[in-house]
Amino acid sequence: MKKIFICMLATLLIVACTEKEDEKPEYTNPNDYVKEYVQLWNEQNFERMYSDYLSDYVKQNFSHEDYVERYNHLYDVLEVENLSINIIESKDFTEEELKTLQKHEIPISISYDTLAGSVAYKKTIQLNKLINEEQMEEGEIQLDPRSPWLIEWDPSFILPNLEPGDEVRLTTLPTKRGEIVDRNGELLATQGEVYEIGVVLERFNEQASLSKLAKSLNISEEYIKNQYEQSWVQPQHFVPLKKFSLKDQDIVSQAVAIEGVTSRVTVDRIYPYGEVAAHLIGYIGKITSEELEELKSRGYSAQDRLGKRGLEELYENKLRGQKGREIFIEKKDQSTYTVAKVSPIPGENIELSVDIKVQEKLYNLLKEDKGTASIINPSTGELISQVSFPAFDPNKFILGQSQEEYSALVKDESQPMINRFATTYSPGSTMKVLSTIIGLNNNQLEPNKTHTIKGKKWQNDGSWGDYYVTRLYDQDTEVDLESAYKYSDNIYFAKLGTSIGQQAFEKGLQKLGFGESIPFEYPVLTSQISNSGKLDREVLLADTAYGQGQLLVNIVHLTSIYGGIVNNGDVMTPTLLSNDNQSVWLSDIVNDDQAQLIQNLLRKVVSEGTAQDININNKQIAGKTGTAELKSSHEVEDGVENGIFVSYDQNNPDQIIGVIIEGVEDSGGSSYVVNKVEQFYESN
């Protein structure tokens, strides 16, 4: 049985083999080769595309590096994504046609996205049937059915119009940073002309002139040498050293008088109003390595500058714009062909509610002092002016300053680099208006009721130990609210605070925005009720009610609350941009009658009280003075004093002016501030 089975199996194999040999093999179809090639291309398998599908002619003219490595490199550098290669049309062949077909063309479409935009083009793949000498018989071609199809290729398959010897370039197209303007279109931050001083080495005598040039430009000799010893520098090159404002004509003239030193006018970021708006506007500066690490995914490079302070930093994303990109081919004759291009998008312009002419007047009056000032339109919440003084020149950070200059700025005792309108201060007696609001709302204040107060000091009971609240004037022994305002009576308001009580007073302050972030574009510190957030000691409650204690308020917040009184009870959200929607931040802090009462009292302070120096003809100035004593404890007798004055003109109540000046203890206290503000009103 075994022998019979083996014989039968052998017979079957012979029959099968005979049938297979009798089958006629199919001719290879060029469509199949192109489909495989396209699939590999979509997969970016350039290695197999090169080794298995290209003709010998192509491989002789284009090396592995020309094809595989160049494809990979360019696709990587150009950040090719969404690659799509498709056959546009293909012809169906009969078996008879394939027997004689030696050449064929198949059109394809190629598209992909790059960092410079989309690229889309069409090409025609040329295929040739592989023929060898064995397939030649008496001068005629005898095609092998199994012979593969090979593809003819050139660099234009990588990028359109790319030819042998061409170079592919990628360039960044710079954008224009947005401008910052005031409400009237005055430029506060813009692109402007500046001088740039540099040397041309072929005409510069280092031994004779280096020291002189360094002194003229206020930079080190080492820095100058480092600049012109860079590898790219040629004798005829202009080597930039330092930029100067067009106002610095004397410095520029002195420098270019040195042989080999020259200047040119270039464009850079400038701040036309310099110190006047320095803390508000800020400046831009070189990106640090730490910043670059964080921001490189957003398109920043090591050569970029970005906002470092103020609105330049706050609105960096809006101001910076978007850089453009261009991919182009540089031909042998230096002509170029653009493959893809994304045009730069300029940054947005920022229009402020600030009136820079008003700000300039205010700053020039206060620049020799230390402090901050804010002017707000009470009916809209718009910031008309926002200053911190003294200040610095932001142009110096753009044009360049020596380490010595920067160190001197940082070490300046007046601390011009501190932005004082972003911080908080003790309000002094300007707090008494807030206490009045809380007292009225809690029915703990009867304006016409008099309180008997004798002498200049008072304490609620013996639990206060040896601590007393003191007042400056004691001519009134029967004190009502009007008298307490006119003479800024600390005892009256300390007694009011204790009668209101801790919880009601705290709630009243919370209703006035204390303890919550101020809804203001510019980041400022939150006003605090106390260090702990509580008024859990009676002495602290009493002190807070007349403006000492631990309560701290931001100048924008304080000025806004006074604006609410003028705006019949509604405190508007402070805004800095001219196109911001106007909204109410704190509603109904007082009713109409209460608002009118406080307005009348503020006028009495000027017409009959502590601020009579500002009782100007043709104006109806109303306001409240304050002096905040900064002492480490109650036992300290004499401390630093800050003067505060918040005011407005009742004839033209569209501007509430809040001013805080530090260190006025030897200048007349709050009277010093009143006199400064008087000059401002007189100038308008």
Side-chain angles (χ1 to χ4, degrees):
M1 289 296 293
K2 290 182 179 180
K3 291 181 179 180
I4 294 172
F5 175 77
I6 292 171
C7 289
M8 290 178 66
L9 179 61
T11 302
L12 290 171
L13 289 171
I14 291 169
V15 171
C17 290
T18 302
E19 289 177 355
K20 190 171 183 180
E21 287 175 357
D22 289 342
E23 288 179 2
K24 293 181 179 180
E26 294 183 0
Y27 285 83
T28 54
N29 191 321
N31 293 330
D32 297 333
Y33 279 79
V34 171
K35 287 179 183 177
E36 293 170 1
Y37 185 79
V38 165
Q39 182 177 346
L40 291 170
W41 194 349
N42 279 315
E43 296 170 355
Q44 299 187 41
N45 190 343
F46 304 120
E47 190 71 51
R48 277 200 60 199
M49 291 166 65
Y50 182 80
S51 63
D52 295 355
Y53 291 87
L54 300 187
S55 71
D56 289 341
Y57 174 81
V58 173
K59 291 180 179 179
Q60 289 169 6
N61 286 276
F62 299 99
S63 66
H64 182 278
E65 180 182 359
D66 294 330
Y67 186 94
V68 177
E69 294 183 21
R70 196 173 197 193
Y71 257 120
N72 280 320
H73 175 69
L74 287 176
Y75 276 27
D76 181 52
V77 170
L78 305 181
E79 297 183 13
V80 169
E81 295 179 340
N82 303 319
L83 178 65
S84 177
I85 298 93
N86 295 290
I87 297 171
I88 297 175
E89 60 178 329
S90 59
K91 179 181 178 182
D92 293 329
F93 297 101
T94 66
E95 185 175 349
E96 289 302 315
E97 288 175 321
L98 289 174
K99 287 181 180 180
T100 59
L101 189 64
Q102 299 177 40
K103 297 181 179 180
H104 186 54
E105 295 182 348
I106 297 179
I108 63 170
S109 65
I110 307 160
S111 66
Y112 45 83
D113 296 327
T114 73
L115 47 66
S118 299
V119 178
Y121 55 106
K122 296 178 181 178
K123 291 291 295 179
T124 298
I125 294 181
Q126 296 181 356
L127 300 101
N128 293 315
K129 187 84 170 181
L130 180 61
I131 301 172
N132 56 41
E133 293 181 359
E134 295 178 358
Q135 293 175 271
M136 304 290 292
E137 186 176 315
E138 297 179 359
E140 295 184 2
I141 297 174
Q142 302 295 318
L143 294 177
D144 183 345
R146 298 179 181 83
S147 181
W149 290 87
L150 298 177
I151 293 172
E152 303 302 323
W153 178 91
D154 65 70
S156 64
F157 280 85
I158 302 178
L159 292 174
N161 286 329
L162 183 63
E163 298 176 317
D166 290 350
E167 294 293 335
V168 179
R169 306 291 188 196
L170 169 64
T171 187
T172 298
L173 306 175
T175 185
K176 180 185 176 184
R177 191 172 180 87
E179 295 177 329
I180 303 177
V181 301
D182 84 337
R183 66 191 302 121
N184 299 311
E186 287 287 328
L187 295 168
L188 309 182
T190 185
Q191 301 297 105
E193 292 183 341
V194 298
Y195 287 120
E196 188 167 42
I197 306 295
V199 295
V200 179
L201 285 183
E202 63 184 4
R203 296 188 287 110
F204 182 70
N205 185 325
E206 179 182 294
Q207 185 173 0
S209 302
L210 179 58
S211 176
K212 186 177 180 181
L213 177 59
K215 184 177 180 180
S216 174
L217 301 183
N218 195 22
I219 54 180
S220 69
E221 295 181 24
E222 181 183 12
Y223 173 79
I224 296 174
K225 292 182 68 174
N226 287 340
Q227 293 304 105
Y228 62 61
E229 287 177 354
Q230 295 177 86
S231 59
W232 62 269
V233 176
Q234 298 296 318
Q236 71 279 11
H237 284 163
F238 174 87
V239 183
L241 296 176
K242 190 173 181 180
K243 294 178 180 178
F244 289 91
S245 166
L246 296 184
K247 299 176 183 177
D248 296 323
Q249 180 64 54
D250 291 344
I251 299 175
V252 175
S253 298
Q254 183 182 24
V256 299
I258 301 171
E259 182 69 24
V261 179
T262 186
S263 70
R264 63 186 182 187
V265 175
T266 187
V267 174
D268 209 333
R269 192 71 163 175
I270 62 169
Y271 304 99
Y273 286 87
E275 295 180 354
V276 170
H279 287 289
L280 179 62
I281 304 301
Y283 56 85
I284 61 173
K286 291 181 180 179
I287 193 168
T288 65
S289 56
E290 293 81 8
E291 290 167 336
L292 180 59
E293 183 66 27
E294 181 181 346
L295 297 172
K296 62 184 177 182
S297 62
R298 290 163 50 189
Y300 285 86
S301 69
Q303 290 72 45
D304 283 333
R305 294 185 295 180
L306 74 165
K308 294 289 187 176
R309 292 178 65 131
L311 300 182
E312 289 278 32
E313 179 180 6
L314 183 63
Y315 294 120
E316 168 68 17
N317 290 338
K318 290 183 177 182
L319 290 166
R320 68 180 290 243
Q322 296 180 27
K323 291 180 285 188
R325 295 287 182 90
E326 183 179 10
I327 300 168
F328 65 93
I329 296 169
E330 188 177 296
K331 300 290 186 180
K332 292 179 181 178
D333 63 359
Q334 305 304 308
S335 64
T336 61
Y337 170 80
T338 297
V339 175
K341 181 179 179 180
V342 174
S343 297
I345 301 174
E348 294 181 39
N349 292 338
I350 303 295
E351 183 177 313
L352 306 181
S353 59
V354 168
D355 186 329
I356 194 60
K357 297 303 182 183
V358 173
Q359 173 125 342
E360 188 173 36
K361 287 181 182 178
L362 190 59
Y363 179 80
N364 287 337
L365 278 172
L366 301 170
K367 64 183 179 181
E368 301 302 325
D369 297 300
K370 295 188 294 183
T372 183
S374 181
I375 301 179
I376 294 178
N377 184 321
S379 62
T380 65
E382 293 174 296
L383 266 290
I384 307 301
S385 177
Q386 191 69 65
V387 298
S388 174
F389 48 90
F392 56 91
D393 184 357
N395 293 296
K396 297 290 186 182
F397 289 86
I398 300 296
L399 303 175
Q401 55 188 332
S402 68
Q403 185 59 46
E404 291 77 10
E405 289 174 315
Y406 180 73
S407 295
L409 189 62
V410 172
K411 294 176 182 177
D412 189 325
E413 290 184 358
S414 65
Q415 298 176 300
M417 294 296 291
I418 291 181
N419 183 358
R420 290 172 166 86
F421 68 70
T423 189
T424 54
Y425 286 86
S426 175
S429 289
T430 60
M431 176 66 195
K432 291 167 183 172
V433 172
L434 282 63
S435 296
T436 301
I437 294 171
I438 298 170
L440 291 171
N441 288 331
N442 283 277
N443 297 315
Q444 293 294 319
L445 177 58
E446 296 180 31
N448 296 322
K449 180 180 179 180
T450 60
H451 296 264
T452 302
I453 303 174
K454 296 181 180 180
K456 291 186 176 182
K457 65 180 185 177
W458 168 84
Q459 63 175 198
N460 198 32
D461 57 43
S463 66
W464 288 20
D466 58 358
Y467 177 67
Y468 291 83
V469 174
T470 61
R471 61 177 181 168
L472 187 60
Y473 305 101
D474 64 352
Q475 64 268 41
D476 262 4
T477 57
E478 299 300 318
V479 183
D480 61 6
L481 184 60
E482 180 181 317
S483 176
Y485 262 73
K486 289 193 297 184
Y487 302 111
S488 200
D489 196 305
N490 293 342
I491 295 175
Y492 179 94
F493 284 96
K495 290 167 69 70
L496 174 62
T498 58
S499 67
I500 294 171
Q502 174 193 344
Q503 292 187 351
F505 205 96
E506 288 175 359
K507 287 181 180 179
L509 288 172
Q510 290 165 1
K511 185 179 178 182
L512 292 176
F514 283 78
E516 69 174 71
S517 297
I518 301 172
F520 184 44
E521 297 96 324
Y522 200 106
V524 297
L525 289 180
T526 298
S527 300
Q528 71 171 40
I529 295 173
S530 71
N531 296 340
S532 67
K534 299 290 184 181
L535 300 175
D536 49 7
R537 291 179 290 110
E538 191 175 55
V539 168
L540 181 59
L541 174 60
D543 282 345
T544 301
Y546 69 87
Q548 290 298 132
Q550 298 169 355
L551 183 140
L552 299 175
V553 64
N554 176 266
I555 186 64
V556 175
H557 188 180
L558 180 63
T559 309
S560 294
I561 291 175
Y562 274 67
I565 295 164
V566 177
N567 197 38
N568 294 322
D570 286 339
V571 178
M572 302 300 291
T573 302
T575 62
L576 197 51
L577 303 185
S578 63
N579 59 354
D580 273 354
N581 293 327
Q582 296 168 10
S583 62
V584 175
W585 171 26
L586 307 169
S587 61
D588 300 322
I589 61 170
V590 288
N591 61 36
D592 290 350
D593 291 339
Q594 292 167 344
Q596 187 60 56
L597 168 68
I598 298 174
Q599 290 175 35
N600 293 338
L601 292 170
L602 293 175
R603 174 60 189 153
K604 289 282 188 177
V605 171
V606 175
S607 63
E608 302 176 23
T610 57
Q612 292 183 57
D613 287 347
I614 203 171
N615 196 23
I616 305 169
N617 291 332
N618 302 319
K619 295 184 188 294
Q620 293 287 313
I621 307 301
K624 184 70 188 78
T625 57
T627 303
E629 296 180 83
L630 309 182
K631 300 188 292 186
S632 57
S633 69
H634 289 139
E635 288 72 30
V636 176
E637 291 188 5
D638 297 315
V640 174
E641 293 182 359
N642 293 339
I644 309 102
F645 186 46
V646 184
S647 63
Y648 70 104
D649 181 0
Q650 292 186 340
N651 288 343
N652 188 22
D654 60 353
Q655 293 185 359
I656 308 295
I657 305 174
V659 179
I660 299 175
I661 298 180
E662 300 174 10
V664 296
E665 63 276 4
D666 297 324
S667 306
S670 61
S671 296
Y672 179 78
V673 185
V674 170
N675 291 331
K676 287 285 187 178
V677 177
E678 178 191 10
Q679 295 176 54
F680 177 78
Y681 280 115
E682 292 279 16
S683 67
N684 290 329

